[in-house]
Amino acid sequence: MKITASDLRALLPGKVSAQWPLGERFVQGLRHGSMSVEFYAPVDVDPQTPHSQDELYFIHSGTGVLMIAGEAHAFAPGTCLLVAAGVEHRFENFSPDFSTWVVFWGPAGGES
């Protein structure tokens, strides 16, 4: 299995919804068992809510801050960030070129 950031970026924006009035800013690239890999590139605002699985963010491009449970974590390309299942988090003050790989895995509720 193989996918590239440019392949996935070309699929954005995705479908329009109440949460994503200009179209979804994420697209799934790979899936195997409980693991899925997405590419995420929000514009201006990050409207996401907590997820049911643990997740890793591998910053692909851009800079900004990931707020995790009220704590600020600055990032740049090459940064890896962990967010446990159910934890409030949001990207803030991110540059216009921001994009990240997202890896979800494990059971609903996360691993201990």
Side-chain angles (χ1 to χ4, degrees):
M1 292 187 272
K2 176 186 173 182
I3 196 71
T4 68
S6 58
D7 290 341
L8 296 178
R9 186 183 291 277
L11 300 174
L12 297 175
K15 67 181 177 181
V16 173
S17 67
Q19 184 177 5
W20 300 96
L22 299 177
E24 292 174 336
R25 300 302 306 173
F26 61 91
V27 61
Q28 186 177 91
L30 301 172
R31 182 166 203 78
H32 180 77
S34 71
M35 184 275 304
S36 66
V37 177
E38 295 182 359
F39 190 76
Y40 184 47
V43 176
D44 298 328
V45 170
D46 176 13
Q48 68 176 308
T49 56
H51 305 286
S52 64
Q53 289 179 289
D54 294 327
E55 61 187 306
L56 287 170
Y57 289 101
F58 294 93
I59 305 303
H60 176 71
S61 62
T63 59
V65 172
L66 177 59
M67 298 298 295
I68 304 174
E71 187 175 321
H73 301 272
F75 64 80
T79 304
C80 179
L81 300 144
L82 169 68
V83 179
V87 173
E88 185 74 34
H89 62 287
R90 181 163 282 97
F91 290 99
E92 296 182 351
N93 303 317
F94 50 88
S95 59
D97 63 336
F98 169 60
S99 63
T100 186
W101 290 100
V102 187
V103 178
F104 294 97
W105 83 94
E111 296 184 354
S112 21

